[in-house]
Amino acid sequence: MRTARTAIAWALAGVICLALPPGRSRAQETAADGLVAAAAADPQGKRMAAAFQAWARAWNVPNASFVAMRGETVIGQAARGARKVDTPVPVASLSKAITGVCVAKLVEAGRLSYNARLSQLIPAYFKANPPYDAAARQITVRELLTHTSGLGYDPAQGSAEFAALDFRKKNLSPILAMALRVPLAVKTFRYNNVNYAALGLVIEAKTKQPYETWCRKTVLAPVGAGAATLNPQWAVMSSFGGWRISALDYARFLDHFRPASKLMKTGPAAWPKTDVNGVSYGIGVEMRRNGGSYDLLHVGDWRWTEPGRKADFAAFFAMWRQNLRFVATYAPQAASGSVGDLYDRLYAAAYPGASGAARASAPASEAAAAPAPLGGSDGGLLRD
């Protein structure tokens, strides 16, 4: 399996009617009436949409959607093939940011601590599934959020035992049990989907509600993204890669990271994070300092090659200075190098006067891991 790729688009010409998703306020409905006009009139948004069009042609991506927002306003949009900006689509590892915000909300409400250990949070799970390594019981919420838990084995990366699961079933327990049947590794940054599977179980334990229900109600519906659901075909990925949400609604969700929205009580300075070569990871996003603010981003993709259950999709978001952001979804994944190229094109379109040095926050390229036999997903510390 390969990871992160990008999206595509032809600028949407003419008027587009967007259905009002559940959870939207009257103010948001009124704002939607002017969505297309605002996107067409904003110079920055027009440049970004045009850059996205050019990228789409260059990389030959057949199906994609793209939205750019600044503040609460959609300033650019584009789509291609079977997708529109309001088409719900799977977003793979972009689901981790939704999970991360759900966890942060519990902490802000005083219902959870970043330092709480799994043995305190899911004791019944450990009684039913004793781990190979007793130290697994001491893994903290902080370590799960930052991929520093020591979990080394990721069954979602094409393993036979993961392939044996019913992908349509919402059940995170077996995935965590698989990962805990082996010794823990050194507690350093190691991107692993199971960290966010465990966080899904923590959310359910603390809220006494299904992960999907609580996160939709608490995090997505308040920003007008209540139409999002777990992907019925890949519900097994749930809190680490299972959300199905439109590019438009995901851009709305990202308002949680915009300080002026007041949707969160805390910001990057208070979030758990680990530093890897100048890039921090925490609450489901990569973070890079940009003056007095942060740039945020994440990539996600999923490719499964097993006959009868084939899938190939990806998504990418970036948010500059915790305000201007874009979301791109696409299927199938584009060729290696496409994500970095998309980022560069969009940054240059958004900030045409910026020098190469000023654009140091562009995603770093890393060597890809060898493809797994069946498939898998990734999105951590941008691999392209």
Side-chain angles (χ1 to χ4, degrees), residues 121-196:
L121 300 169
I122 50 173
Y125 168 84
F126 282 116
K127 185 175 182 180
N129 303 275
Y132 176 91
D133 193 328
R137 300 174 185 270
Q138 305 308 309
I139 291 173
T140 67
V141 171
R142 181 182 303 276
E143 291 168 339
L144 294 171
L145 286 167
T146 58
H147 293 293
T148 57
S149 65
L151 287 170
Y153 171 46
D154 187 346
Q157 297 298 330
S159 72
E161 58 182 343
F162 181 79
L165 296 175
D166 183 348
F167 292 165
R168 298 164 298 180
K169 188 175 181 179
K170 306 171 187 178
N171 188 354
L172 294 165
S173 295
I175 299 171
L176 179 58
M178 293 172 194
L180 293 182
R181 290 185 192 130
V182 299
L184 295 181
V186 175
K187 290 199 172 188
T188 187
F189 179 85
R190 186 188 305 266
Y191 188 90
N192 190 320
N193 290 303
V194 181
N195 287 307
Y196 278 71

Side-chain angles (χ1 to χ4, degrees), residues 55-235:
W55 175 86
R57 291 191 293 268
W59 292 93
N60 299 311
V61 184
N63 299 289
S65 55
F66 168 85
V67 169
M69 289 187 72
R70 186 176 58 245
E72 298 179 347
T73 304
V74 174
I75 62 170
Q77 55 183 306
R80 187 176 183 178
R83 297 190 177 186
K84 297 181 180 180
V85 297
D86 60 342
T87 302
V89 295
V91 293
S93 283
L94 266 63
S95 302
K96 291 181 174 67
I98 296 174
T99 300
V101 172
C102 288
V103 171
K105 288 282 191 180
L106 286 170
V107 173
E108 290 178 347
R111 301 175 65 182
L112 181 65
S113 166
Y114 289 130
N115 296 320
R117 294 180 171 87
L118 285 182
S119 59
Q120 302 169 294
L121 300 169
I122 50 173
Y125 168 84
F126 282 116
K127 185 175 182 180
N129 303 275
Y132 176 91
D133 193 328
R137 300 174 185 270
Q138 305 308 309
I139 291 173
T140 67
V141 171
R142 181 182 303 276
E143 291 168 339
L144 294 171
L145 286 167
T146 58
H147 293 293
T148 57
S149 65
L151 287 170
Y153 171 46
D154 187 346
Q157 297 298 330
S159 72
E161 58 182 343
F162 181 79
L165 296 175
D166 183 348
F167 292 165
R168 298 164 298 180
K169 188 175 181 179
K170 306 171 187 178
N171 188 354
L172 294 165
S173 295
I175 299 171
L176 179 58
M178 293 172 194
L180 293 182
R181 290 185 192 130
V182 299
L184 295 181
V186 175
K187 290 199 172 188
T188 187
F189 179 85
R190 186 188 305 266
Y191 188 90
N192 190 320
N193 290 303
V194 181
N195 287 307
Y196 278 71
L199 288 169
L201 292 175
V202 169
I203 290 169
E204 292 185 339
K206 295 302 293 185
T207 65
K208 308 301 182 185
Q209 296 182 45
Y211 161 82
E212 178 184 14
T213 300
W214 195 84
C215 287
R216 184 192 299 115
K217 177 180 66 176
T218 306
V219 171
L220 297 173
V223 294
T229 64
L230 291 184
N231 184 354
Q233 300 303 311
W234 294 98

Side-chain angles (χ1 to χ4, degrees), residues 30 33 92 126 131 136 141 160 167 187 211 242 247 275 281 289 295 301 307 314 335 356 380 383:
T30 301
D33 295 337
F126 282 116
V141 171
F167 292 165
K187 290 199 172 188
Y211 161 82
D275 185 77
Y281 193 103
R289 268 283 189 185
D295 294 341
D301 66 26
R383 300 199 314 177

Side-chain angles (χ1 to χ4, degrees), residues 14-79:
V15 176
I16 302 173
C17 296
L18 299 178
L20 180 64
R24 292 188 62 190
S25 67
R26 177 54 50 186
Q28 288 169 319
E29 181 178 5
T30 301
D33 295 337
L35 184 152
V36 176
D42 188 274
Q44 189 178 47
K46 288 177 66 176
R47 293 194 304 269
M48 293 177 72
F52 189 67
Q53 292 175 353
W55 175 86
R57 291 191 293 268
W59 292 93
N60 299 311
V61 184
N63 299 289
S65 55
F66 168 85
V67 169
M69 289 187 72
R70 186 176 58 245
E72 298 179 347
T73 304
V74 174
I75 62 170
Q77 55 183 306

